[in-house]
Amino acid sequence: MEPVSVENVVFGPFGQCLPSLVQGGDRAFAVVDSAVADRFAPVLDEFGVEWMAFRASEERKSFEGLQEIAGWLLEHEADRGALLLGIGGGVTTDLTGFAASVYKRGIRYALVPTTLLAQVDAAVGGKTGIDFHGCKNVIGTFSMPEAVCVDTAVLASLPRKELRSGMAEALKTLVIGDAAMYREAVERMRGGMERLGDNELSALVRRCVGIKSGIVAADRTEEGERMKLKLGHTLGR
Ligand code: GLY
């Protein structure tokens, strides 16, 4: 299957997405959530991407995490032409995006979200950031990734708890943008999320990415329309 693009989001296996990102001869680096490092290492090694495993947790979405990534890039002499990939859940994609947006005043980056939540929300739309003094994402930037590679096949190995929290975010997006699909998904999942097959999950992710991309295209820096996406985050708390 050919990867299909929605804005800068490419759907398909990572191995198909990576070649176009690393062509051109600039060095490529990757921050990979240690939980998925084994899965991605062979492809990264094959394409000569230098990578570091990152032990992701909300506590490490912080200056400490930023220091670890920036220190590693510096140590490996990453220059302004470098591409930085962030592979993992929302902590890794937010933090890597932030590191890329400030390292040497900004380098190119791309994201490979591996959780449902990161695929439908965190990695889409160019919000980067870290937590500080107990406030989530209080330090960050708007910085669009060069690409977001979404492979829904990786969700098969996601712990159920992670799938549930991502599903809440997906349903939120459908509430905002597609009431009919929301009703259909809820109906289908009565009696358990496992009733949603791989194809249905993949269609749901694509729809959510399409809805979010449309909102972000209209209001990249959250001055109006994009505030809708705060439903369930800030609004409604
Ligand atoms: N997570 C909400 C947004 O990206 O605007």
Side-chain angles (χ1 to χ4, degrees):
M1 185 187 65
E2 278 297 296
V4 179
S5 193
V6 177
E7 301 260 321
N8 59 347
V9 182
V10 178
F11 293 94
F14 178 56
Q16 283 181 25
C17 179
L18 189 59
S20 62
L21 289 172
V22 297
Q23 73 190 6
D26 286 321
R27 286 171 73 199
F29 298 83
V31 176
V32 190
D33 185 331
S34 38
V36 293
D38 287 350
R39 183 181 189 122
F40 287 90
V43 185
L44 293 169
D45 291 341
E46 184 188 333
F47 285 90
V49 179
E50 296 164 66
W51 60 275
M52 63 170 273
F54 183 75
R55 221 169 12 84
S57 68
E58 195 66 38
E59 294 69 46
R60 284 167 52 75
K61 190 179 148 183
S62 61
F63 276 112
E64 182 208 320
L66 175 67
Q67 236 172 314
E68 190 174 321
I69 295 169
W72 177 73
L73 289 171
L74 207 53
E75 201 178 299
H76 287 76
E77 299 177 352
D79 61 21
R80 293 200 63 197
L83 171 79
L84 184 62
L85 293 162
I87 304 176
V91 165
T92 306
T93 58
D94 280 8
L95 176 60
T96 305
F98 183 57
S101 74
V102 295
Y103 179 76
K104 300 210 169 176
R105 298 199 175 85
I107 60 173
R108 295 178 301 128
Y109 79 101
L111 299 174
V112 185
T114 60
T115 62
L116 181 57
L117 192 142
Q119 291 190 352
V120 297
D121 187 48
V124 179
K127 272 187 182 176
T128 82
I130 57 173
D131 305 338
F132 185 58
H133 281 205
C135 301
K136 270 181 77 67
N137 301 319
V138 73
I139 295 179
T141 55
F142 287 105
S143 171
M144 283 308 262
E146 196 154 288
V148 181
C149 307
V150 175
D151 181 2
T152 51
V154 301
L155 303 178
S157 55
L158 203 62
R160 204 178 151 70
K161 187 168 163 264
E162 290 275 350
L163 210 51
R164 288 179 79 88
S165 86
M167 190 54 75
E169 200 63 44
L171 292 176
K172 173 207 86 173
T173 307
L174 294 180
V175 165
I176 294 169
D178 191 337
M181 192 172 193
Y182 168 80
R183 277 193 291 272
E184 210 176 287
V186 169
E187 192 54 43
R188 188 92 177 94
M189 286 189 289
R190 256 182 231 290
M193 243 176 2
E194 56 285 347
R195 298 198 53 204
L196 213 60
D198 292 347
N199 289 344
E200 287 162 301
L201 186 60
S202 169
L204 184 125
V205 171
R206 282 171 188 250
R207 184 70 186 113
C208 289
V209 167
I211 293 167
K212 183 162 182 187
S213 298
I215 292 172
V216 172
D219 177 21
R220 197 165 274 203
T221 51
E222 200 178 87
E223 280 151 63
E225 182 78 0
R226 187 167 182 168
M227 286 184 196
K228 282 183 184 169
L229 294 169
K230 286 176 175 282
L231 179 65
H233 295 191
T234 326
L235 293 179
R237 259 196 194 160

